[in-house]
Amino acid sequence: MRKYLFEDISKRGKLITISLLVAICFFIAIVFNVYMSIGTAYTQLFFIPVILSGLWFHRRAYAVAAFLGSTHIVLSIVMGGSLEFAPFLRTAVLMIAADMIGNIALRMDLLDSQMKTEREKAMLLNNSVQDIIGRIDKSGQIKFISPSVESILGYTPNEAMALTLYNIVHPDEQKATSKLFRQFLVDGISVSLEFRCLDKSKNYIWIEVLLNRADSDYSDGNFATFSCRDIDLRKKNEEIINNISLTDPLTGLKNRRFLDGVIEKEMARSTRYNLKMSIVIIDLDFFKHINDTYGHPAGDSVLIKVARVISETIRSSDIPARLGGEEFLILLPDTGLYGAFSVAEKIRKNIEATPHPEASFVTASFGVAERYENEPVNDLYKRADNALYLAKERGRNRVAVFEIIDEKPVAYISLNWRPSMACGEKEIDKQHMLLFELANSLINAAITKESKEDISEKFDKLLKHIVEHFEYEETAQREAGFPDWKEHTKIHDELVEKALSLKKSFDEDTIKVADLFTFMVDDVVYGHMMVEDIKFYPYLENNYTS
């Protein structure tokens, strides 16, 4: 602000005022000298126009001082009749006064002009820059902030200055932000902060703040300058990219890359707090058969449904991931072996109960293992994978756990009949259900290592039922008018021949339990019932009973 008087008077008004003052002083000087014979008092009046001309026009005060001084000299000579030193001295004083006042006024104007320019620059910067700039004190109190804060956070500058750094930082970032700010206060080195900031509408947006120590101390106690910008869009894009890189695009579950990172953290937490931790590996049964028979779109649909079943069955703290292909893994923090088994069995049942019209029905095998104390991740994976292998070997659609006792995996569950397998012809459905029952009885006898005589007896019952069932089914096909019944009969003959071969291997003690499961599941259930039998079901409609 200008510190001198009459700064708002126009240039023309200033000229008129100076002219009038010079004329008045000149007139008074003549009156004092001629009519009142006073030779010195009037000269004091000359300082008035000199001072004002110095304040208003700077160096033009010389001209005014010279005019008035010379007038004083001339009048002194006229009135005194001789040259005297005093008039010249007074004129010199006027000239010195004009110089001083003119220089002072000139400097004041230059300073004022510079301040005005700086204010205009600051105003232009504050109003045009998109980033927020300001000053902050050691307590985190905002002392100055640019108007751009309103476009980013919604606060007016006055509202923002009523806040502190800690009022607006998201609780999840407060600790880290506070630590970096305290470090900045100690060493004064510029620091960059990224945190979610509370805007006026009570939403959190990501901002980036750069703190620098102020060049000088301010009277209001400001300590640092800051600039901050809105990086919310960048963070959201980064999150999208990160999710893409860590998420399986088909199922929406996390992928192996994500799992590798999080499982190490969970294992460290398990070790630190002595907590249980288990994993479940899931592998869909006969998935290649689904792709080959129904096509890859049907296979993709199955994977999506299975992923949804897994997600809907587990807890929010559990972490499901797709390892690749038809294989999934679930990380179960704070969960022991039998708790993990319970979760796996629930998922198994839900997968089995989920309709898959595009691919008949779907089952899965499960391997479960609980982490030993300080066990490396690869060893845990291996034990769960061994349990999964056993579940596959024992006939699929079951859960196997790797128990600590004997360091061997143990398999559970058996083949299950599902209503979706029914054709509607009561006798055929009844025979199919009995087929499952006899197969399970034989397989369980083999697993529990019953006597060879008992196993052989159950094997014979199964073979007998298979032969009788096939004969009845062939008759039903011919009566229903199924055109491909002869080809179907050939398939029956091949299955019976394979069953007899298995019985012979059993008698020779060369059969494995896995061979029984493979025959029943791969050949009878999936290969025959779910692929071949469904071809003649439509021809049985006339035989359906309510």
Side-chain angles (χ1 to χ4, degrees), residues 163-424:
L163 303 171
T164 68
L165 179 66
Y166 307 105
N167 292 145
I168 56 177
V169 178
H170 191 282
D172 292 348
E173 283 97 43
Q174 278 189 1
K175 185 176 181 180
T177 301
S178 177
K179 180 180 179 181
L180 287 173
F181 186 63
R182 288 196 303 270
Q183 179 183 340
F184 167 76
L185 294 177
V186 173
D187 55 34
I189 299 175
S190 297
V191 62
S192 178
L193 311 174
E194 288 186 2
F195 54 83
R196 282 170 289 177
C197 181
L198 184 68
D199 65 14
K200 191 174 181 179
S201 59
K202 304 303 179 184
N203 296 317
Y204 283 98
I205 66 170
W206 279 98
I207 63 171
E208 179 184 36
V209 178
L210 179 63
L211 285 174
N212 290 291
R213 188 180 289 275
D215 293 335
S216 59
D217 293 331
Y218 294 86
S219 58
D220 58 1
N222 287 341
F223 181 77
T225 61
F226 67 84
S227 63
C228 57
R229 63 181 57 189
D230 181 356
I231 59 169
D232 199 56
L233 180 60
R234 189 192 84 191
K235 282 289 187 180
K236 287 178 180 177
N237 289 336
E238 287 177 356
E239 184 178 357
I240 291 172
I241 293 171
N242 188 54
N243 283 337
I244 291 173
S245 66
L246 299 177
T247 303
D248 174 52
L250 178 64
T251 63
L253 298 181
K254 296 302 182 181
N255 58 21
R256 182 65 177 265
R257 180 183 174 189
F258 172 85
L259 189 65
D260 288 343
V262 76
I263 198 168
E264 292 288 352
K265 294 179 181 177
E266 284 299 325
M267 291 180 77
R269 190 174 76 91
S270 171
T271 300
R272 184 182 308 115
Y273 299 109
N274 194 27
L275 300 173
K276 293 181 178 182
M277 187 186 101
S278 300
I279 64 170
V280 176
I281 298 179
I282 307 169
D283 190 87
L284 299 186
D285 298 328
F286 306 104
F287 188 72
K288 184 178 183 302
H289 173 77
I290 293 174
N291 277 334
D292 292 345
T293 305
Y294 304 101
H296 287 281
D300 290 346
S301 177
V302 167
L303 291 172
I304 293 170
K305 287 184 179 180
V306 168
R308 184 167 63 246
V309 168
I310 293 171
S311 299
E312 292 174 352
T313 306
I314 61 177
R315 306 169 300 179
S316 59
S317 58
D318 300 332
I319 304 168
R322 183 186 176 196
L323 298 181
E326 68 272 25
E327 195 169 44
F328 301 84
L329 184 144
I330 308 172
L331 175 62
L332 301 165
D334 308 329
T335 305
L337 182 66
Y338 296 104
F341 167 77
S342 177
V343 172
E345 173 59 9
K346 188 180 297 184
I347 295 172
R348 187 198 67 79
K349 289 180 178 178
N350 290 343
I351 290 175
E352 187 181 29
T354 301
H356 294 275
E358 71 280 4
S360 186
F361 74 98
V362 176
T363 61
S365 300
F366 296 73
V368 181
E370 178 184 347
R371 186 196 180 210
Y372 297 160
E373 186 176 358
N374 298 320
E375 182 182 24
V377 65
N378 288 337
D379 292 351
L380 177 62
Y381 271 133
K382 184 176 180 181
R383 290 194 299 108
D385 201 54
N386 287 340
L388 175 65
Y389 178 80
L390 178 66
K392 290 286 187 182
E393 187 181 56
R394 295 291 171 84
R396 300 177 174 85
N397 191 25
R398 63 187 52 234
V399 179
V401 299
F402 201 107
E403 296 193 19
I404 297 177
I405 300 174
D406 298 330
E407 291 292 310
K408 293 180 180 179
V410 180
Y412 300 85
I413 316 307
S414 59
L415 293 172
N416 293 308
W417 166 264
R418 295 178 56 194
S420 60
M421 297 177 181
C423 68

